[in-house]
């Protein structure tokens, strides 16, 4: 019966979830089950033995009537702490990173109504002061726009806090918690489109900072390699290139999509959400995207400093120098500096001079008393 329900409503929404599991002490060891955010939305996850994370998302909110569809969206996911498998055939021995240690960041996305909009979340699972497992997340909602210049109105930003308990009323999954959607998802993604359309994501892409992204998209599943040209601190990007995982409608420039990169075994994660456009007189392919960079924090009180936000424009042509696969360079050409506190080298001498001067000024009136 669950399978038939998924079949009936599959066209209404597809949730592509690139997930990096996190562990924090006794709790947060498994993300299976139901999660609820502060708006009443429900996220149901089920982790399979093959590394696939399947489930359902029932949103309690939508910007416009019908924009979220008329039923729940389907969760399609890959749990990256085990061998990643494609929809059609396994990548034998492929492993993006060992995400099996405490504090790993994660990211996931919802593709609404065949790519008319896409939401990404980046976050971390922590046990807060109330003793409850909590998914602390930030999100970007990208809606499709018709022209390159319209990107200014494409994106919204916010935060969600998911808990195991309901925070307010909202739509819920029936009592039967079984989820068997893999075969159905296979059929839907395969029918998303062909790879001979403009703005096909396959191949090399470069941003203005010099970073290189090499993507392969098969039936909507996005995989690839990312070589960043920048990093906040030395070694933050790891010692080699990073793996890309995402989901989006194949070869459709009117569709939004999302992809993710985990840095240094999950010490941080970046999630992009964007749309490919054909821009200018030269009909240049450009991926216009916004991103969230989530870094590990030690406890819930540090959530305010966990996330950075900005945008990237990727083109087929190189925009700036950077690490390249063809050159066998895989890390930033100029590594980040270690963060050090600002120290005033001459402050002690200056303080002594100030004290001496003040002492002289105070004693001066006494000479004429």
């Amino acid at each position: 019966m669950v399978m038939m329900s998924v079949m009936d409503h599959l066209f209404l929404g597809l949730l592509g979830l690139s997930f990096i599991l996190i562990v924090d002490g006794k709790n947060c060891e498994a993300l299976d089950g139901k999660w609820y955010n502060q708006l009443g939305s429900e996220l149901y996850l089920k982790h399979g033995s093959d590394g696939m994370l399947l489930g359902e998302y029932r949103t309690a909110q939508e910007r416009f009537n019908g924009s979220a569809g008329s039923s729940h969206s389907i969760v399609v996911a890959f749990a990256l702490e085990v061998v990643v498998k494609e929809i059609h055939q396994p990548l034998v021995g492929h492993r993006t990173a060992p995400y099996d240690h405490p504090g790993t960041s994660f990211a996931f996305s919802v593709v609404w109504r065949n790519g008319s909009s896409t939401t990404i979340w980046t976050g971390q699972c922590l046990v807060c002061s109330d003793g409850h497992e909590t998914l602390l997340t930030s999100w970007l909602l990208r809606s499709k726009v018709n022209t390159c210049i319209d990107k200014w109105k494409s994106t919204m930003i916010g935060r969600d806090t998911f808990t195991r308990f309901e925070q307010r009323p909202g739509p819920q999954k029936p009592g039967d918690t079984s989820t068997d959607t893999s075969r159905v998802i296979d059929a839907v993604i395969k029918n998303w489109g062909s790879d001979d359309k403009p703005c096909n994501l396959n191949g090399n892409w470069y941003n203005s900072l010099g970073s290189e992204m090499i993507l392969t998209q098969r039936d909507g599943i996005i995989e690839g390699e990312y070589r960043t040209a920048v990093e906040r601190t030395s070694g933050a990007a790891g010692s080699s290139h990073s793996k890309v995982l995402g989901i989006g409608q194949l070869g459709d420039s009117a569709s939004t999509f999302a992809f993710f990169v985990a840095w240094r075994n999950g010490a941080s994660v970046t999630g992009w959400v964007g749309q490919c456009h054909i821009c200018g007189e030269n009909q240049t392919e450009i991926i216009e995207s916004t991103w969230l960079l989530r870094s590990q924090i030690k406890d819930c009180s540090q959530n305010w400093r966990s996330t950075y936000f900005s945008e990237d424009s990727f083109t087929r042509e190189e925009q700036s120098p950077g690490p390249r696969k063809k050159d066998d360079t895989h890390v930033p050409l100029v590594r980040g500096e270690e963060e050090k506190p600002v120290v005033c080298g001459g402050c002690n001498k200056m303080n002594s001079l100030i004290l001496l001067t003040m002492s002289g000024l105070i004693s001066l009136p006494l000479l004429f008393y």
Side-chain angles (χ1 to χ4, degrees), residues 279-334:
C279 301
E281 296 180 356
N282 296 328
Q283 295 293 285
T284 303
E285 292 178 302
I286 300 178
I287 295 177
E288 297 288 5
S289 67
T290 47
W291 54 259
L292 292 173
L293 169 61
R294 176 86 187 198
S295 299
Q296 290 175 313
I297 55 175
K298 294 181 180 180
D299 57 65
C300 299
S301 66
Q302 298 179 338
N303 194 42
W304 63 272
R305 68 179 190 183
S306 64
T307 306
Y308 286 76
F309 161 80
S310 191
E311 61 180 9
D312 272 329
S313 295
F314 293 90
T315 61
R316 297 288 190 183
E317 296 76 28
E318 298 185 32
Q319 304 176 50
S320 301
R324 300 289 181 260
K325 182 175 184 177
K326 62 181 178 62
D327 298 330
D328 198 27
T329 54
H330 308 285
V331 296
L333 301 181
V334 179

Side-chain angles (χ1 to χ4, degrees), residues 15 17 31-33 43-48 50-57 74-79 87 177-185:
L15 170 55
L17 176 60
L31 299 178
D32 295 57
L43 172 66
Y44 170 72
L45 300 174
K46 183 178 181 180
H47 186 198
D50 60 352
M52 188 76 77
L53 192 62
L54 301 175
E56 301 167 4
Y57 192 93
I74 304 302
V75 176
V76 181
F78 298 96
I87 291 291
T177 58
S178 62
T179 298
D180 184 13
T181 61
S182 58
R183 287 173 292 175
V184 187
I185 296 303

Side-chain angles (χ1 to χ4, degrees), residues 163-181:
T163 58
R164 294 290 191 181
F165 57 88
E166 297 176 44
Q167 302 178 50
R168 63 177 300 173
Q172 295 186 15
K173 180 177 175 63
D176 181 7
T177 58
S178 62
T179 298
D180 184 13
T181 61

Side-chain angles (χ1 to χ4, degrees), residues 48 223 261:
E223 294 184 296
V261 173

Side-chain angles (χ1 to χ4, degrees), residues 205-213 226 228-230 272 312-315 317-320 324:
W205 297 89
Y206 306 91
N207 68 12
S208 60
L209 299 173
S211 301
E212 177 185 64
M213 180 170 62
Y226 197 97
T228 181
V230 296
W272 287 262
D312 272 329
S313 295
F314 293 90
T315 61
E317 296 76 28
E318 298 185 32
Q319 304 176 50
S320 301
R324 300 289 181 260

